[in-house]
Amino acid sequence: MQPAARADHHKMKLTLLAAFLVAVARGHAQSNAIANGSFEVYLRPPALWTAPSNGDYGIPPGDTNIAGWSVINGPVAYVRVWPAASGISSIDLSGDGNPVSGGVARSVQTQTGGKYIFSFHISGNPGTSFPRDPSEKRLSVRIGEVQQVYSYDTAVEQNTFGNMKWRQNQILYVASTNLTRIELVNVMGTNLTGPVIDNIILQECVPPTLSIQPVGTNVVVSWPDGVCPVVLEWSSVVGVGALWQTNSLPPAHVGGRSLTTNVISTTQFFRLRLQ
């Protein structure tokens, strides 16, 4: 059921009274479709790590000890020596840089035609013991047919082992199949201090909850801004026979919310529809 809100105006003894019945089907946060998106589950015993309990470096292509993920292209490193964006673990896509740097990949169940927000946090290994490595760390992110290259420059960000200054990136994705492949790959070539990733999330888009507030003879309809594009619609009825129309007023954006002020003269229901 889409979010909807009813506003009835009645004239009584020449006095305009406003009565508002709000019937909103609340949007709900979708769970992360990516299990182990923050890389907390690593199947190799800590005693066998390159640096026991601190990190495991040079994890080779084909390795599946990062639960749910496969290492591709070249080695990666499983790291717990700096603060993670989520939990205590993250992945340095450089590994040991031999012979080339690597990536991680997996496939997740999606609904064909479904709209999703794909997000991830990126930082860069701030180590200075390998001066030949460029400060700009670059990785390719692919979800389904969508691919984009991102960068993080440690010289610009001035991040440290104590403060990684994580940055979140988001992609709006429309699934073309019921099984979507995700890849995050170092594209710097051979290097030892690379892009670092954490907190990989895939959530289905749902319309946010509408807020309905009477202001005199008007009604202010608002909702929180988000990545997923939505359009405000109204109808004089709901259910069978409903004819939903795009609200004619473009929304204003104030304090992280979109809002419209509507003059109400008849019964109206409002809803948000994903574009």
Side-chain angles (χ1 to χ4, degrees), residues 148-162:
Q148 188 166 338
V149 174
Y150 295 84
S151 66
Y152 187 101
D153 196 320
T154 57
V156 173
E157 300 293 341
Q158 291 292 296
N159 65 318
T160 66
F161 289 126

Side-chain angles (χ1 to χ4, degrees), residues 81-218:
V81 295
W82 50 56
S86 175
I88 59 174
S89 307
S90 57
I91 301 296
D92 183 335
L93 295 176
S94 285
D96 60 6
N98 183 25
V100 295
S101 299
V104 292
R106 69 179 303 150
S107 294
V108 295
Q109 294 289 332
T110 51
Q111 181 178 349
T112 302
K115 297 179 175 66
Y116 296 84
I117 300 172
F118 176 72
S119 67
F120 63 96
H121 280 73
I122 179 177
S123 183
N125 186 329
T128 58
S129 56
F130 307 101
R132 66 179 176 81
D133 287 352
S135 63
E136 183 187 21
K137 315 303 181 182
R138 301 173 67 247
L139 75 153
S140 169
V141 177
R142 179 190 293 274
I143 175 168
E145 301 79 23
V146 178
Q147 183 178 16
Q148 188 166 338
V149 174
Y150 295 84
S151 66
Y152 187 101
D153 196 320
T154 57
V156 173
E157 300 293 341
Q158 291 292 296
N159 65 318
T160 66
F161 289 126
N163 183 358
M164 289 292 282
K165 296 185 180 180
W166 292 95
R167 187 175 69 232
Q168 186 181 39
N169 297 276
Q170 295 180 316
I171 298 173
L172 180 63
Y173 172 67
V174 180
S176 60
T177 180
N178 60 4
L179 189 65
T180 297
R181 183 169 173 83
I182 295 170
E183 297 181 357
L184 299 98
V185 179
N186 187 331
V187 291
M188 297 175 62
T190 301
N191 67 304
L192 292 171
T193 57
V196 183
I197 58 170
D198 195 15
N199 202 28
I200 317 300
I201 298 174
L202 182 66
Q203 293 177 300
E204 187 175 3
C205 290
V206 293
T209 299
L210 284 176
S211 173
I212 311 295
Q213 296 291 333
V215 180
T217 59
N218 300 331

